[in-house]
Amino acid sequence: MIVINRHKCGHCGACVGVCPENAIDLVDAWVEISDKCIECGICVKVCPVGALEIQHEG
Amino acid sequence: MKDEYDVLVVGAGPGGSIAAKTAAEHGLDVLLIEKRAEIGNPVRCAEGVGKESIKPFIESDPSWISAEVKGARIYSPDGTAIEMSEDIAGPEVGYVLERKIFDRALTLQAARTGAEVMVKTRATGLIIENGFVRGIRGEHFGDDFTVRANIVIGADGVESKVGRWAGINTTLKLSDIETCAEFLMADIDFDQDYCDFYVGNEIAPGGYAWIFPKGKHEANVGVGVLGSRVGSTKAIHFLKKFVDKSCSDGHILEIIVGGVPVSGPLERTITNGLMLVGDAARMTDPITGGGIVNAMITGQIAGEVAAKAISKGDTSTKMLSEYETRWKSAIEDSLDKSLHAKEVLTKMPDGQLDMLAHSIKDVNFGELTATSLLTEITRRNPKMLWELRHLL
């Protein structure tokens, strides 16, 4: 799953713009990721501050 | 909030505010919603803009002008400077804005023209009936609502959802977005008359670093990197490296981050009952990353076309196609040229960027535009740069 470090996030919306599944939403000043996420990791790459991370389960 | 409006605008940045103001000027019933609690904050922008280009949209006011510059300098990787400047009275003199105040002034202008403005109000979906957008579902202060409108204008920025809900693919590829970080810095020593740009694959792969004066020895110091060229080193790391080298004695007062579309405009910016403007329609210039002016131009056209469509009782794609025709005639040519230039320049090794800079370093530029720079580059490098032939 994609994990957001809310302390790092600058809520710029770049991750929302690149998400191919429309799974990310910038709500006011925080980012939400829905279960439509396919863990492609594109949002992780675009984040200017490295606030997003793919965390593999198990 | 009423149950129904003529026009509903999602997003109160420059594009949305001008669209709302224009529609209200034509006597329409307009609702302008902004998801944030505060118009214009947080800023996501380097704040540089041409003085003449914003004149048609708002009367100039010192409260939102941080600094006035007389030119721009572009530094190639080996430090060669290309200077583009004008007499301080020239028409293309630039402003560095205070966006927090500028955006509010634009929204206030819309409100005073008659548009209803609501903050902390976000769209969560569209009402679509018989293939026509007929309003939105939203949330205001934790309460859900629906509101109907004959036309919805999506001005919801890089993170636009409105277009996607209507079936328009707005997804940006990593090669079509600049990932940016910026510090507002105080007490740095630099030439306050110029906006400075630094290109190079070490400094900012596929983008540039900048120092824009904000007055009082303050400056916006930032770096934008092409999404496809970023690895584990993020924009913020490039910025820290640039600051260490260029202005490590300064004090950081603010950190700003952002994503800037550099894809060129969407192929489709309308559907029945819907128009997309500004960053939401990817109207930013692919070379400079500048989006404020194009957002206002497209916002204004959308407001005018909305008025016409509503007066005729027809909000179909056919009717709204006038919006596409008009924005294309206004800005498509320059966006196309910038897109071609971006494709070529972002792939160039540092040595080639230096050669380009050497070829034009003594040129006296007549005007302060990216187009005049690109035209000169092409003229002086006919063989090496056959790829840039589209720019002339």
Side-chain angles (χ1 to χ4, degrees):
Chain A
M1 61 186 289
I2 303 284
V3 180
I4 305 157
N5 184 336
R6 290 177 205 281
H7 303 285
K8 272 192 184 177
C9 174
H11 24 89
C12 70
C15 53
V16 184
V18 297
C19 177
E21 298 298 317
N22 199 11
I24 314 182
D25 202 356
L26 174 61
V27 183
D28 197 340
W30 65 91
V31 169
E32 276 177 4
I33 299 181
S34 81
D35 54 14
K36 284 191 282 183
C37 172
I38 55 166
E39 299 182 24
C40 66
I42 294 175
C43 56
V44 176
K45 289 190 185 132
V46 85
C47 180
V49 293
L52 295 156
E53 236 182 306
I54 297 193
Q55 219 167 66
H56 297 285
E57 283 158 59
Chain B
M1 192 197 312
K2 293 185 285 195
D3 295 334
E4 192 165 353
Y5 293 83
D6 293 320
V7 176
L8 194 152
V9 184
V10 181
S17 287
I18 292 293
K21 174 198 159 224
T22 308
E25 264 169 359
H26 285 78
L28 301 183
D29 218 1
V30 182
L31 176 64
L32 170 62
I33 65 168
E34 168 57 49
K35 69 179 170 191
R36 298 166 172 181
E38 213 179 324
I39 306 279
N41 195 26
V43 175
R44 300 169 178 172
C45 174
E47 304 181 299
V49 72
K51 182 177 178 176
E52 283 301 305
S53 51
I54 56 170
K55 255 193 186 156
F57 303 101
I58 187 165
E59 207 175 306
S60 172
D61 187 306
S63 70
W64 46 255
I65 301 163
S66 290
E68 220 172 307
V69 292
K70 67 176 183 189
R73 283 182 304 215
I74 303 160
Y75 292 90
S76 78
D78 71 2
T80 305
I82 302 160
E83 187 172 318
M84 304 174 73
S85 60
E86 279 202 28
D87 187 279
I88 194 82
E92 289 292 340
V93 167
Y95 285 149
V96 180
L97 299 173
E98 185 64 37
R99 278 291 300 271
K100 286 170 196 164
I101 303 185
F102 179 70
D103 284 26
R104 284 178 196 207
L106 288 172
T107 305
L108 186 57
Q109 197 177 239
R112 286 183 175 153
T113 313
E116 187 179 336
V117 178
M118 290 180 71
V119 294
K120 218 163 160 58
T121 305
R122 69 185 185 111
T124 56
L126 292 175
I127 303 171
I128 300 176
E129 291 169 358
N130 304 320
F132 278 75
V133 175
R134 290 293 186 207
I136 64 151
R137 290 189 297 281
E139 190 218 292
H140 170 67
F141 258 110
D143 291 329
D144 293 334
F145 66 86
T146 57
V147 59
R148 297 181 66 81
N150 286 318
I151 288 182
V152 171
I153 296 176
D156 49 340
V158 65
E159 75 265 36
S160 179
K161 289 282 194 179
V162 170
R164 293 187 191 220
W165 291 327
I168 298 173
N169 182 12
T170 61
T171 309
L172 291 161
K173 292 183 292 188
L174 281 171
S175 55
D176 283 334
I177 185 167
E178 295 284 336
T179 157
C180 309
E182 177 187 272
F183 295 140
L184 171 63
M185 296 188 73
D187 299 345
I188 64 174
D189 192 20
F190 68 107
D191 188 342
Q192 308 226 10
D193 284 334
Y194 287 85
C195 282
D196 285 339
F197 299 79
Y198 299 79
V199 297
N201 293 289
E202 293 285 317
I203 292 172
Y208 60 83
W210 64 87
I211 302 179
F212 289 0
K214 286 278 284 181
K216 299 171 288 179
H217 292 276
E218 291 179 10
N220 285 337
V221 182
V223 174
V225 186
L226 198 65
S228 53
R229 303 277 301 274
V230 181
S232 54
T233 310
K234 301 291 176 189
I236 187 82
H237 304 124
F238 282 102
L239 174 60
K240 282 178 179 160
K241 219 165 105 186
F242 180 71
V243 166
D244 280 347
K245 217 176 97 189
S246 313
C247 42
S248 56
D249 50 340
H251 309 294
I252 298 167
L253 300 180
E254 191 174 347
I255 173 167
I256 291 150
V257 291
V260 178
V262 289
S263 56
L266 293 177
E267 268 181 41
R268 191 153 71 95
T269 57
I270 55 168
T271 176
N272 292 326
L274 176 83
M275 291 178 271
L276 296 178
V277 305
D279 282 22
R282 314 317 188 197
M283 297 290 181
T284 27
D285 184 290
I287 279 284
T288 64
I292 300 168
V293 173
N294 287 351
M296 295 196 292
I297 290 172
T298 52
Q300 186 172 52
I301 298 171
E304 287 168 5
V305 172
K308 203 166 160 184
I310 284 165
S311 75
K312 296 201 166 169
D314 176 7
T315 62
S316 68
T317 303
K318 199 174 160 214
M319 183 72 208
L320 300 183
S321 66
E322 186 185 330
Y323 168 64
E324 294 203 319
T325 315
R326 287 184 55 195
W327 75 248
K328 282 180 183 174
S329 90
I331 57 175
E332 189 181 38
D333 191 45
S334 81
L335 288 174
D336 272 358
K337 282 180 176 163
S338 286
L339 187 58
H340 279 298
K342 171 211 149 195
E343 300 299 337
V344 176
L345 294 172
T346 57
K347 291 185 182 81
M348 265 187 193
D350 282 359
Q352 231 171 349
L353 289 169
D354 285 327
M355 273 172 70
L356 284 188
H358 298 163
S359 77
I360 55 168
K361 69 174 194 289
D362 299 320
V363 175
N364 189 8
F365 287 95
E367 52 179 81
L368 190 62
T369 64
T371 316
S372 69
L373 176 73
L374 295 168
T375 305
E376 197 58 40
I377 287 177
T378 322
R379 188 174 296 147
R380 299 206 168 217
N381 302 273
K383 282 180 188 155
M384 185 175 93
L385 279 176
W386 65 273
E387 298 101 321
L388 281 173
R389 65 195 182 282
H390 303 291
L391 303 179
L392 280 174

